[in-house]
Amino acid sequence: MLPLITLEEHYVSPTVRAAQTHDEFATFPPDLVRKLNSLDNERIDDMDKGKVSLQVISHGPGDRPAALCTEANNDLASAISNNPSRLAGFAHLPMGDPTAAATELERCIRQLGFVGALVDNHLNGTFYDNENFWPIFEQAQTLDVPIYIHPYWAADSALEHYRGNYEESVAVALSAYGWGWHSETGLHILKLYASGLFDRFPRLKIIIGHMGEMLPFQLERVIKVSGRWGKTRGFEEVWRENIWITTSGMFSLPPLACLLQTTSIDHVLYSVDYPFSSNETGLAFFDQVKESGLITGEDLEKFAFRNAKALLRVRAEAQ
């Protein structure tokens, strides 16, 4: 069995939950919350069930002040120190304070040994094409670590767009896991490109999940249309050099085939989205990929672990 590295895997700091007046995880199923809280035996046992060699962990969604982000990152660093061969960390950043976020990113990389950061797709409806956020990206380029842009719940101002002649629960689903999470994250990448972010920071590394957040299917049109936007670097070049894509939370061959037809295998990485998806489901999908012949030989090794090792400078051994 090849080593497997997963990159979009989540936890919640009990310290952070206790400090917040609103518990955004209170409505989650108890079993799910327990797994989110676990950074020790239960998590490692679940990794073993899915043959996951190394799990890169990030904190659950939400904007928090710098002090709470520091607490969350310290909690994660402590857990990693107990299982350094099995766990690695993405920093949790206070995106509402970009200067503090850049400072915390540097601390997490240089002092805690983290391998990048994972950030929500927007801050109360504001995307990061706003140059106020760019010190974070500048810091990431300086440190040579990736920023993982992860879907987030729609802002209250955006939810009306998803309402219609159906139950409110349908609108919420459409705004989130049923559509909006993915289309909005794909849109965010286009907004970052259109803003000139990748011209300013040509060595910036961005990761997105879920087979590319709909962009691979639209890539040819995006390349043509964006050619009119007057950027020094074309979107095709940015997609090839600055964007990495994981399979997190999607376990179907057709979107993977589309991704592979539009993206270098060197930038495609296996992931699960634990605990929202199980490691066993991820393993069954990996086996399906292998059996299908869609990815074979050295490319299968790249998909399983080599690309993650190169991007994050981590190590992993087969379980």
Side-chain angles (χ1 to χ4, degrees):
M1 181 70 194
L2 296 174
L4 295 175
I5 298 176
T6 58
L7 282 73
E8 191 184 312
E9 324 304 319
H10 309 287
Y11 85 106
V12 172
S13 163
T15 305
V16 170
R17 287 189 73 194
Q20 292 182 301
T21 55
H22 170 67
D23 185 1
E24 54 201 330
F25 304 99
T27 60
F28 284 32
D31 287 352
L32 184 61
V33 174
R34 189 187 69 248
K35 289 181 182 296
L36 282 167
N37 287 340
S38 172
L39 286 172
D40 47 31
N41 293 341
E42 182 171 12
R43 183 173 293 263
I44 299 299
D45 289 346
D46 283 352
M47 289 170 60
D48 290 343
K49 292 173 185 175
K51 306 298 183 186
V52 175
S53 305
L54 181 73
Q55 192 179 76
V56 185
I57 307 174
S58 51
H59 198 276
D63 180 52
R64 297 176 179 88
L68 274 186
C69 289
T70 296
E71 292 278 1
N73 291 325
N74 289 344
D75 285 349
L76 180 55
S78 177
I80 291 170
S81 70
N82 293 328
N83 279 292
S85 66
R86 304 299 302 278
L87 305 178
F90 280 140
H92 185 41
L93 302 180
M95 297 301 286
D97 185 345
T99 300
T103 299
E104 179 63 4
L105 177 59
E106 181 176 28
R107 183 185 80 94
C108 287
I109 302 306
R110 297 196 187 281
Q111 297 182 27
L112 303 185
F114 285 10
V115 296
L118 182 142
V119 302
D120 295 337
N121 185 49
H122 63 85
L123 179 69
N124 299 320
T126 300
F127 293 95
Y128 307 141
D129 56 296
N130 187 317
E131 292 196 22
N132 290 337
F133 295 103
W134 288 16
I136 302 166
F137 297 111
E138 181 178 18
Q139 184 72 276
Q141 176 174 270
T142 299
L143 295 166
D144 193 25
V145 296
I147 300 288
Y148 200 129
I149 298 180
H150 185 273
Y152 188 50
W153 302 102
D156 290 343
S157 59
L159 191 56
E160 186 62 32
H161 178 64
Y162 293 96
R163 292 190 172 107
N165 186 30
Y166 36 75
E167 301 281 344
E168 181 72 3
S169 61
V170 176
V172 172
L174 287 174
S175 74
Y177 43 82
W179 186 263
W181 276 355
H182 312 295
S183 63
E184 292 293 305
T185 304
L187 172 64
H188 195 168
I189 295 299
L190 299 182
K191 290 170 72 71
L192 292 177
Y193 174 76
S195 72
L197 179 76
F198 296 101
D199 284 348
R200 179 84 64 85
F201 307 114
R203 294 181 289 105
L204 180 63
K205 298 174 179 178
I206 297 292
I207 309 173
I208 54 176
H210 309 104
M211 302 282 191
E213 309 292 16
M214 301 186 178
L215 285 170
F217 186 84
Q218 291 288 112
L219 192 61
E220 182 181 8
R221 173 164 289 200
V222 167
I223 290 169
K224 289 180 179 178
V225 172
S226 62
R228 309 167 190 165
W229 298 350
K231 302 304 151 190
T232 301
R233 303 176 66 220
F235 190 80
E236 185 173 14
E237 177 185 344
V238 168
W239 183 260
R240 182 177 65 248
E241 296 182 2
N242 300 90
I243 310 293
W244 279 256
I245 300 96
T246 79
T247 59
S248 60
M250 295 184 68
F251 308 104
S252 177
L253 293 179
L256 178 60
C258 179
L259 174 60
L260 293 170
Q261 289 173 10
T262 56
T263 308
S264 167
I265 186 62
D266 293 336
H267 281 223
V268 177
L269 307 97
Y270 172 72
S271 285
V272 172
D273 202 2
Y274 175 90
F276 304 103
S277 300
S278 75
N279 292 321
E280 295 96 319
T281 300
L283 180 60
F285 175 64
F286 183 85
D287 289 340
Q288 184 184 16
V289 171
K290 184 166 56 175
E291 292 166 6
S292 74
L294 198 56
I295 309 178
T296 61
E298 182 180 339
D299 286 349
L300 190 66
E301 293 186 3
K302 291 180 179 181
F303 174 60
F305 71 100
R306 292 196 185 281
N307 289 342
K309 286 179 67 174
L311 176 62
L312 306 176
R313 295 184 287 277
V314 294
R315 300 177 63 183
E317 302 296 333
Q319 295 303 305

